[in-house]
Amino acid sequence: MPQGAGPSTGEQARQHALAQLRQAILHGEMSPAQRLVENELAEQFGVTRASIRAALIDLEAQGLVERIRNKGSRVRVVSVEEAVAITECRMVLEGLCAAKAATLASDEQIDELKHIGTAMTKAVADGEPLTYSDLNHELHTRVREFSGQRTAVELLERLNAQLVRHRFQLALRPGRPQRSLNEHLAMIETIEARDPEAAETAVRAHLASVIEALRD
């Protein structure tokens, strides 16, 4: 990670520390329940403790960090039941986005979704679950973008950040990518068909399957 990039204090330092910490948590470099020691993090990122503390407060608001009374901060643990509850919220919001995308996406944007679908099919055939997981994330991101529904997008970004660990675990489960591939291809096909109701149904069916997998 960059050491001491930019100023060590003030707003830029807080933003730098926030971006670095967020990436480390989202990429699994910092594991759930890991202690976040302000002194160590300040040294690692070349900023003051005050900048780290401010960044941790922001991450707490985003649901990525929890502060333990008299013990400082740690990476927040998201239980399976909470992951299910978050996914239930995603069903509503992502269903809305898919319906909007089916109406609003340009032909070029639909071609982009189809290219992702082709790459996902290849990743499954080649037995590359991590590539598949990245493409899965990209597909959902593009559908949200093409929906033009900024409020839903902002809410989903916050919800999805909390599910990173569970997403990777599901991607590595034997047989899971093969099952979810058809669900994702159905999402793409219904958006391509310009059928908002079918697109919403396809997304809900996919996320219902994710909930079932989380509970297994």
Side-chain angles (χ1 to χ4, degrees), residues 89-121:
C89 293
R90 281 182 63 201
M91 282 173 95
V92 178
L93 293 166
E94 294 214 31
L96 168 67
C97 287
K100 293 271 188 183
T103 307
L104 298 173
S106 67
D107 290 344
E108 291 79 11
Q109 288 173 331
I110 285 175
D111 281 343
E112 197 176 330
L113 297 182
K114 287 163 72 177
H115 284 309
I116 296 171
T118 301
M120 291 175 89
T121 303

Side-chain angles (χ1 to χ4, degrees), residues 78-91:
V78 177
S79 68
V80 168
E81 276 314 304
E82 189 174 358
V84 167
I86 290 169
T87 307
E88 287 171 342
C89 293
R90 281 182 63 201
M91 282 173 95

Side-chain angles (χ1 to χ4, degrees), residues 18-65:
L18 176 61
Q20 294 295 321
L21 274 167
R22 194 169 192 277
Q23 284 298 100
I25 293 169
L26 294 184
H27 291 164
E29 291 161 26
M30 292 180 172
S31 52
Q34 181 174 328
R35 284 281 308 282
L36 299 169
V37 181
E38 290 177 8
N39 280 343
E40 292 173 9
L41 294 170
E43 195 173 322
Q44 185 178 346
F45 299 131
V47 298
T48 61
R49 277 188 67 180
S51 299
I52 291 293
R53 194 172 300 124
L56 290 173
I57 289 168
D58 285 349
L59 289 168
E60 184 182 15
Q62 292 175 24
L64 295 177
V65 164

